[in-house]
Structure formats: structure tokens, C-alpha cells
């Protein structure tokens, strides 16, 4: 079956040239000359990949990408910006919004086809990774047929890549569904009135984000941001509701996960309220060390994230890390931290 490509480009010559090339290459092509029509067509036809110009009247490429990443059905479609050389400095903004790649006009046929092929293949690989992740979800459902039903619900769901520091959803956004972490790490934060961040949790492979929003039927209560490059799968609320109704054990498991999430946050609040600076830092380092999937005590984290995680000032974080390094508890090189004596950190915490 031919892959579907949507072209959003207001320059007639460029648009028609791309259409001709892609049709010759065997793609099924949709094309529009403005951003608003592009968003509508993307939602109705769900193409396999989107090529979009940046500078367009009414709704520019950034607006198109923003609207598509807010839609549960188009959020995972690979998105490539088409930009003029003069717009190269603006590409950083587009990549931060979640674009997968960009092509600088004028581009040749091979460059165009290669970029599309790479993005389509990466998306297929991520779908395979997601399928493998589903095989690890047997523990979630005990009722006969439950896993098959979950696979039926999720097999059509596409995965989405998020770059480090890219926002997945904001505090107050409508909770349209659950996010499943396929790979990488995601942090959730609450923002204080003075602008300071409090990191409430770090999520990693096979963790769900947004359970409280789904069960309470409320907006997301925190802002979720990718700590590093990660892959996520979005499962819409209506499908989750159907699963919870048909398979009570799934609901019990989600309640257990929510209760555990609350327990972790309660412990963190007690640490921040009553523990000394050294105990706070020890607890944060132990928590980060425990998140490592590989058999290593080495991880990357910025001073800012450590401060948000432990409720400490930046200067205090730097000073405490230096003390721990001098005492042989950790090794530190830039944002890379290696836990050298986990036992002593645990003793300090307790």
C-alpha cells in the first residue's frame, strides 16, 4: 500500500514540483496551499508524513505543527519543515516545537526522497519497539482476553518522538488520554508563583503519565517535559475508558499505579520539608540512580533539574555536589554524575 504524503506549501511551482516527484516515486500525495487547509486535511486523512512550508499567510508552519501536536490522532505523524535559506535561524524554534527534520529550499530530488524515507523507516522502527513494549504489559491485565483487547486498542496508535527539553503537555491542558513511555525519561513539574520549578516525578520505560487526569476526568495537573530524547505512545481517553469498563483488573492496576505515584510524591514532600540539605541531595541521587535501566550508577542531570527535584537553591546544589565529590561519594564531570558509594548515600538518607 502506497504511503500517504501531505504537502503544505503556498508556492505553486514548488508544490507542483514536489507532487510530481513523489507521485513518480510511488507515493499517494495530498497537497494544499495554506496552513488551515493543511491542518484540516491532516486530521481527516491522517497521512504517513507531512511536508510543510514555514512562511505562509494566515497560519504559518509553526502554527500548523502546534495544532497537529495538540491533536491525539496527528501528534505522532512525522513532520518535515520546508524552509528558505533566510529562515535557517528560525529552524531551532521549529525543532523545539517537535518537527522531525527540515529541508532547505532549493533541495534536489535525492535529498527530498532520502529525508522522507529516513523518517518513515524510523517511525516503523519505533512501532516495532512499541509492539515489544506491549509484550511486557501482561502483568497489567489478568482477565482472559484483556491483553488482546489492549493490543487491539493500541495497535493503530502511532508513537511520537520527543527531543530533550520538549514539552509533552502543559499543566492545565485537557487530559485527552494517557502517555506510555516507550523509551527515555520524562519529568513532571509544578511551577511556583515566583517562577521556581518543583520536579514532582521522573518517569521511564513502561511508565504511564496522566493517570490522575483520566481517573479524575480533569486537566493535567503538571507540565510533562522530556528529560532526554524519548519515544512516547498516546492512548486516547475514550479507548482507555472502554478498557477500564470491560476489564476491571486494568482499573485496579491503574489505581495501584496512581497510589504508588502519590506515595512517591508524599515521601518527596517530607524530604523537602524536614530533611537536611545533605539528606535531600542523597535522596535525589539515590532516586536517579534507581531509574537507570542499564547496570550502571551513571546518569546525566543538570543542576537546575537537581534543584527542582530536591527543592534546593542552585548554589546549594553546586556546593553539596562538590562536597560529595570530595568525600568520594560521587564522580562528576559536567552534568554527568556517577554514584561511587551508594551504601553511604543510603545511610546518609536514612
Amino acid at each position: 500500500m502506497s504511503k500517504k504524503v501531505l504537502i503544505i506549501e503556498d508556492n505553486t511551482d514548488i508544490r507542483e514540483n514536489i507532487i510530481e516527484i513523489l507521485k513518480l516515486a510511488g507515493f499517494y500525495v495530498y497537497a494544499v496551499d495554506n496552513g488551515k487547509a493543511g491542518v484540516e486535511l491532516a486530521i481527516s486523512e491522517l497521512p504517513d508524513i507531512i511536508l510543510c512550508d514555514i512562511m505562509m499567510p494566515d497560519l504559518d508552519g509553526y502554527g500548523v505543527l502546534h495544532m497537529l501536536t495538540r491533536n491525539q490522532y496527528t501528534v505522532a505523524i512525522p513532520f518535515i519543515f520546508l524552509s528558505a535559506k533566510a529562515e535557517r535561524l528560525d529552524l531551532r524554534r521549529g525543532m523545539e516545537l517537535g518537527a522531525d527534520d527540515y529541508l532547505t529550499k532549493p533541495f534536489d530530488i535525492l535529498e527530498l526522497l532520502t529525508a522522507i524515507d529516513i523518517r518513515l523507516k524510523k517511525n516503523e522502527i519505533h512501532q516495532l519497539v512499541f509492539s515489544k513494549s506491549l509484550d511486557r504489559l501482561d502483568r497489567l491485565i489478568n482477565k482472559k482476553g484483556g491483553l488482546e483487547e489492549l493490543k487491539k486498542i493500541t495497535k493503530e496508535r502511532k508513537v511520537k518522538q520527543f527531543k530533550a527539553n520538549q514539552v509533552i503537555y502543559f499543566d492545565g491542558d485537557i487530559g485527552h488520554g494517557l502517555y506510555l513511555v516507550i523509551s527515555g525519561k520524562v519529568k513532571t513539574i509544578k511551577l511556583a508563583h515566583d517562577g521556581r520549578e518543583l520536579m514532582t516525578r521522573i518517569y521511564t520505560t513502561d511508565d504511564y503519565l496522566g493517570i490522575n487526569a483520566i481517573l479524575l476526568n480533569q486537566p493535567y495537573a503538571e507540565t510533562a517535559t522530556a528529560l532526554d530524547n524519548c519515544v512516547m505512545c498516546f492512548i486516547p481517553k475514550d479507548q482507555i475508558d472502554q478498557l477500564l469498563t470491560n476489564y476491571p483488573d486494568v482499573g485496579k492496576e491503574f489505581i495501584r499505579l496512581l497510589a504508588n505515584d502519590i506515595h512517591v510524591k508524599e515521601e518527596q514532600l517530607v524530604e523537602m520539608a524536614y530533611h537536611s540539605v545533605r539528606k535531600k541531595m542523597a535522596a535525589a541521587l539515590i532516586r536517579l540512580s534507581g531509574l537507570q535501566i542499564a547496570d550502571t550508577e551513571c546518569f546525566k542531570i543538570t543542576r537546575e533539574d537537581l534543584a527542582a527535584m530536591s527543592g534546593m537553591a542552585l548554589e546549594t546544589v553546586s556546593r553539596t555536589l562538590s562536597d560529595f565529590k570530595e568525600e568520594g561519594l560521587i564522580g562528576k564531570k559536567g552534568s554527568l554524575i556517577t554514584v561511587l558509594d551508594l551504601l553511604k548515600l543510603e545511610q546518609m538518607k536514612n
Side-chain angles (χ1 to χ4, degrees):
M1 184 176 178
S2 298
K3 295 289 187 180
K4 298 186 293 183
V5 181
L6 170 60
I7 303 165
I8 308 173
E9 168 63 66
D10 63 341
N11 185 295
T12 302
D13 292 336
I14 295 176
R15 185 175 65 254
E16 291 181 351
N17 186 43
I18 296 175
I19 293 172
E20 183 180 358
I21 292 170
L22 295 184
K23 284 186 175 180
L24 287 173
F27 291 100
Y28 191 90
V29 183
Y30 302 96
V32 293
D33 61 1
N34 68 85
K36 290 181 179 178
V39 171
E40 293 172 357
L41 196 56
I43 293 172
S44 64
E45 299 299 334
L46 298 179
D48 295 291
I49 192 167
I50 297 171
L51 307 178
C52 184
D53 187 23
I54 292 181
M55 301 305 295
M56 295 182 292
D58 297 328
L59 184 65
D60 63 12
Y62 301 129
V64 172
L65 180 57
H66 176 78
M67 295 181 71
L68 294 182
T69 53
R70 289 288 180 263
N71 185 289
Q72 61 186 13
Y73 299 107
T74 58
V75 62
I77 298 175
F79 193 99
I80 298 178
F81 269 130
L82 307 176
S83 69
K85 286 185 177 179
E87 300 160 8
R88 181 177 289 271
L89 294 177
D90 296 328
L91 288 171
R92 178 180 177 85
R93 177 185 172 193
M95 301 304 281
E96 289 175 348
L97 285 173
D100 297 285
D101 203 350
Y102 67 89
L103 289 172
T104 303
K105 295 183 266 188
F107 43 79
D108 57 37
I109 295 175
L110 181 60
E111 187 179 4
L112 172 65
L113 295 178
T114 299
I116 293 174
D117 188 50
I118 288 174
R119 287 301 152 190
L120 289 175
K121 284 183 177 178
K122 282 191 174 183
N123 204 49
E124 289 175 358
I125 290 171
H126 287 139
Q127 294 296 333
L128 290 174
V129 172
F130 176 50
S131 297
K132 291 178 181 178
S133 181
L134 283 180
D135 294 335
R136 297 195 293 268
L137 296 177
D138 291 277
R139 72 183 191 281
L140 193 65
I141 302 172
N142 297 318
K143 185 174 179 180
K144 186 177 180 181
L147 183 59
E148 288 74 15
E149 183 65 19
L150 178 61
K151 287 184 177 180
K152 179 183 176 182
I153 289 174
T154 56
K155 70 179 180 179
E156 298 299 327
R157 308 308 307 165
K158 294 184 178 181
V159 296
K160 174 68 177 178
Q161 304 174 63
F162 290 89
K163 298 178 177 64
N165 301 317
Q166 184 179 342
V167 174
I168 298 164
Y169 59 76
F170 287 97
D171 184 354
D173 282 354
I174 300 299
H176 288 303
L178 289 179
Y179 285 89
L180 172 64
V181 182
I182 305 301
S183 64
K185 297 184 183 67
V186 177
K187 66 178 180 179
T188 51
I189 62 169
K190 294 286 289 185
L191 200 62
H193 293 299
D194 60 3
R196 287 182 298 173
E197 291 184 355
L198 170 63
M199 188 187 301
T200 56
R201 185 79 189 272
I202 294 179
Y203 297 83
T204 187
T205 303
D206 291 341
D207 284 341
Y208 287 91
L209 287 84
I211 293 177
N212 57 340
I214 294 299
L215 296 183
L216 295 173
N217 196 29
Q218 292 182 352
Y220 296 117
E222 302 155 314
T223 297
T225 307
L227 263 178
D228 49 22
N229 294 337
C230 62
V231 179
M232 309 281 290
C233 172
F234 180 78
I235 308 173
K237 183 180 185 302
D238 57 348
Q239 294 178 324
I240 291 295
D241 287 342
Q242 180 183 356
L243 188 64
L244 292 173
T245 301
N246 295 334
Y247 301 95
D249 287 341
V250 179
K252 290 180 182 178
E253 180 63 16
F254 280 142
I255 291 172
R256 187 192 67 80
L257 293 173
L258 180 59
N260 180 68
D261 189 59
I262 293 171
H263 174 69
V264 170
K265 290 174 180 176
E266 285 176 343
E267 284 193 335
Q268 185 178 359
L269 287 173
V270 170
E271 290 169 3
M272 288 190 293
Y274 299 110
H275 284 193
S276 67
V277 166
R278 288 172 63 84
K279 280 190 174 186
K280 289 179 186 179
M281 182 57 67
L285 294 174
I286 290 169
R287 196 174 298 123
L288 289 166
S289 177
L291 291 172
Q292 302 310 302
I293 297 173
D295 186 19
T296 176
E297 304 295 347
C298 182
F299 50 85
K300 273 190 174 183
I301 187 164
T302 64
R303 288 188 315 145
E304 290 77 9
D305 281 337
L306 263 178
M309 188 175 184
S310 57
M312 297 160 58
L314 281 175
E315 296 79 7
T316 307
V317 168
S318 298
R319 186 172 61 252
T320 308
L321 287 176
S322 296
D323 291 343
F324 280 13
K325 183 177 179 181
E326 289 180 5
E327 295 167 26
L329 299 174
I330 63 169
K332 188 175 185 302
K333 187 175 182 181
S335 60
L336 187 66
I337 296 176
T338 305
V339 174
L340 302 178
D341 198 329
L342 185 60
L343 180 59
K344 284 188 177 180
L345 288 176
E346 289 174 342
Q347 290 172 342
M348 184 185 301
K349 174 195 170 187
N350 297 326

